[in-house]
Each structure stands twice: as structure tokens, then as C-alpha cells.
């Protein structure tokens, strides 16, 4: 695996990556840090691609009893890439992006080089461009959930388990200890995703954009909310001004 990977993309894809890096806080020295964004994003995109292949193969086996399902699903995936995520849909390939795999993700890029491009019969740069083409055709709220897939999964686990959640705010660097209550996908709001919680130390009900959450983890200890607190959390969800949340004003003192 080379230290850096060069991928030629359309201006559309390059612009989306630039916008998302700035929008979701991937900034270094005052400029967009697309390499940081791509190192966060590509492992999730690879897993999503593998999961789709598995679903296709399982359907062929279970519903159509095809003994040659492996050969068919490889062909089907190649067709999907060519029809839905090809370069012609997104304009001329006229810009280059560079990816420097991080130490944490080098194994993912090794898997792409040794396994994924063999399965898909593609070159490394073509495979990665296909991932990015697919990603950039999605709406903003969905792109955010892919970038912060792990954070959303941990928050969701905390919601139904009542285990205490810890995270650090991307913009303020504050650490929070919270009772996770609910989250909302932004396709019906202002294209954002929001997490609702009760800050245990500050005794406040708050909301934060998903992208603000960093270093997210849960502990074994559980939080037992009162019925009054649950009622207040529900009321907050019903009345929350999510535009104010983006401006970090979406909080409410608990009575």
C-alpha cells in the first residue's frame, strides 16, 4: 500500500467533499481537511458495499435457490456500479484528490487493494471513485450519518440501554456525561441530524448536531430518569427549535 492514493474525480464530487469537510468540522489550519474526512468515511462505505453484496447473494440463495449465486452477485454489483454510480452521471473527471491512509485505517485500504478490487475487477482508484460517486449522490443528512456512523450507533445503543454516555464537543472541546434520550434524522428539518440528551452534570436537557459528537463511548453504569424528566424530554423534543440547536442555543434547564 502506497503512502498516498491519487484518485481522479469530477468537480461535483470534489465540491461535495469540500462542502462536507467544512460543514462537519474537518478543518486543519483554517482549511478543509478532506483527508481526515475520507479516512473517517471510506471504512463505512466499504462495509456498506460489502453488506450490499451479501444481501444480494443471500437473496439469490434463499429466494431463487441459485447454486451459482456468487458469480451472479459479482456481476450484479458491477452492473449497479456502472449504471447508477458511473462517472458520466457526475461530469468530467477533472480534479484529483489525495488520500493518505491513517494508521487506524491502513487495514481497510489494504483490504480494498487485496480483496475488494479483485472481487469488483477494478483498479484501486476506480473502486474508491465509485464509493465516492455513490456517497456524493446522497442527501446531506444521509451523508452525515455515514460519516458519523459509529457515533450514531453508540448514541442509539445508549438510548435503549440507558447506559451513561460520554462524548466531547467538536466545536467547544467540552466533555459531557449524559443520559441519551432520542435522535432525529434531518430529512424533514434543515438537513441535519440531532441528538437529544440530559446533561447529568449540568442538569440540563440539550440537543446537539450529530457531527458535534466526538470520542463517544458508553459505560456500564445506567441512569434512571424520573417520570418528570422523561415528560420534560418528550416535551423538549416536540418543541425544540433545531435551528437554535445548530447555533448551540438549544438547551433547557430541568425543573
Amino acid at each position: 500500500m502506497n503512502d498516498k492514493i491519487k484518485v481522479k474525480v469530477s468537480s461535483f464530487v470534489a465540491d461535495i467533499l469540500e462542502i462536507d469537510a467544512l460543514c462537519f468540522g474537518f478543518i486543519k489550519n483554517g482549511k478543509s481537511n478532506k483527508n481526515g474526512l475520507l479516512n473517517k468515511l471510506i471504512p463505512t462505505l466499504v462495509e456498506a458495499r460489502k453488506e450490499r453484496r451479501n444481501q444480494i447473494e443471500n437473496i439469490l440463495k434463499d429466494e431463487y435457490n441459485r447454486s451459482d449465486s456468487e458469480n451472479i452477485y459479482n456481476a450484479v454489483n458491477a452492473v449497479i456500479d456502472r449504471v447508477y454510480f458511473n462517472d458520466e452521471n457526475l461530469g468530467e473527471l477533472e480534479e484529483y484528490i489525495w488520500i493518505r491512509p491513517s494508521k487506524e485505517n491502513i487495514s481497510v485500504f489494504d483490504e480494498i487493494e487485496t480483496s475488494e478490487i479483485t472481487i469488483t475487477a477494478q483498479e484501486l482508484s476506480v473502486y474508491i471513485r465509485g464509493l465516492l460517486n455513490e456517497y456524493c449522490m446522497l442527501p446531506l443528512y444521509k451523508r452525515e450519518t455515514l460519516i458519523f456512523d459509529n457515533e450514531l450507533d453508540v448514541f442509539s445503543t445508549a438510548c435503549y440501554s440507558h447506559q451513561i454516555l460520554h462524548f466531547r464537543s467538536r466545536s467547544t472541546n467540552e466533555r459531557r456525561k449524559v443520559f441519551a434520550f432520542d435522535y432525529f434524522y434531518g430529512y424533514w428539518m434543515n438537513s441535519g441530524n440531532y441528538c437529544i440528551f440530559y446533561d447529568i452534570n449540568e442538569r440540563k436537557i440539550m440537543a446537539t448536531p450529530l457531527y458535534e459528537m466526538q470520542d463517544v463511548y458508553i459505560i456500564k453504569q445506567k441512569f434512571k430518569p424520573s417520570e418528570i424528566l422523561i415528560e420534560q424530554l418528550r416535551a423538549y423534543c416536540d418543541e425544540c427549535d433545531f435551528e437554535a440547536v445548530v447555533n448551540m442555543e438549544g438547551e433547557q434547564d430541568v425543573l
Side-chain angles (χ1 to χ4, degrees), residues 192-217:
N193 300 283
Y194 303 93
C195 298
I196 313 297
F197 56 86
Y198 170 68
D199 189 299
I200 296 170
N201 292 329
E202 294 192 17
R203 297 178 57 82
K204 288 183 177 181
I205 294 173
M206 307 177 70
T208 187
L210 173 61
Y211 68 83
E212 275 287 327
M213 302 180 70
Q214 291 192 116
D215 303 333
V216 181
Y217 64 92

Side-chain angles (χ1 to χ4, degrees), residues 43-236:
T44 299
L45 297 180
V46 172
E47 286 303 312
R49 185 67 61 90
K50 289 160 61 178
E51 178 61 26
R52 184 171 66 204
R53 282 205 306 269
N54 290 337
Q55 289 178 354
I56 292 172
E57 184 178 18
N58 290 336
I59 289 172
L60 290 170
K61 283 181 178 179
D62 299 338
E63 298 184 21
Y64 293 93
N65 298 315
R66 296 292 307 224
S67 59
D68 56 348
S69 59
E70 182 174 352
N71 292 331
I72 294 176
Y73 91 80
N74 282 337
V76 168
N77 273 278
V79 170
I80 289 173
D81 282 353
R82 291 182 185 180
V83 172
Y84 290 103
F85 311 123
N86 64 58
D87 304 319
E88 293 178 3
N89 292 335
L90 303 176
E92 296 290 330
L93 303 179
E94 51 192 6
E95 296 197 34
Y96 288 100
I97 58 172
W98 291 88
I99 307 170
R100 180 182 289 107
S102 65
K103 292 179 180 179
E104 295 79 12
N105 292 327
I106 191 67
S107 61
V108 175
F109 289 92
D110 283 341
E111 181 182 11
I112 294 173
E113 194 169 39
T114 60
S115 177
E116 287 294 296
I117 64 175
T118 300
I119 293 172
T120 59
Q122 294 176 318
E123 296 179 355
L124 176 62
S125 62
V126 174
Y127 176 87
I128 293 177
R129 183 166 64 242
L131 295 179
L132 298 179
N133 286 349
E134 182 175 357
Y135 166 80
C136 289
M137 293 171 70
L138 297 170
L140 180 62
Y141 83 92
K142 183 59 179 176
R143 300 200 305 269
E144 183 182 5
T145 62
L146 287 171
I147 297 169
F148 301 101
D149 168 73
N150 179 67
E151 288 80 359
L152 183 58
D153 183 60
V154 175
F155 190 88
S156 175
T157 299
C159 284
Y160 67 74
S161 70
H162 285 199
Q163 290 173 268
I164 293 175
L165 176 91
H166 291 253
F167 74 90
R168 179 168 59 85
S169 172
R170 181 180 297 272
S171 60
T172 66
N173 215 35
E174 292 178 289
R175 301 206 65 88
R176 295 195 179 278
K177 174 183 177 183
V178 308
F179 165 61
F181 181 68
D182 205 352
Y183 55 90
F184 295 93
Y185 294 114
Y187 56 87
W188 53 276
M189 299 176 205
N190 59 356
S191 297
N193 300 283
Y194 303 93
C195 298
I196 313 297
F197 56 86
Y198 170 68
D199 189 299
I200 296 170
N201 292 329
E202 294 192 17
R203 297 178 57 82
K204 288 183 177 181
I205 294 173
M206 307 177 70
T208 187
L210 173 61
Y211 68 83
E212 275 287 327
M213 302 180 70
Q214 291 192 116
D215 303 333
V216 181
Y217 64 92
I218 54 178
I219 61 176
K220 291 183 178 180
Q221 183 182 356
K222 294 187 177 183
F223 182 82
K224 296 181 179 180
S226 66
E227 291 185 8
I228 293 176
L229 177 58
I230 292 297
E231 289 177 4
Q232 290 179 321
L233 282 160
R234 287 173 180 159
Y236 180 88

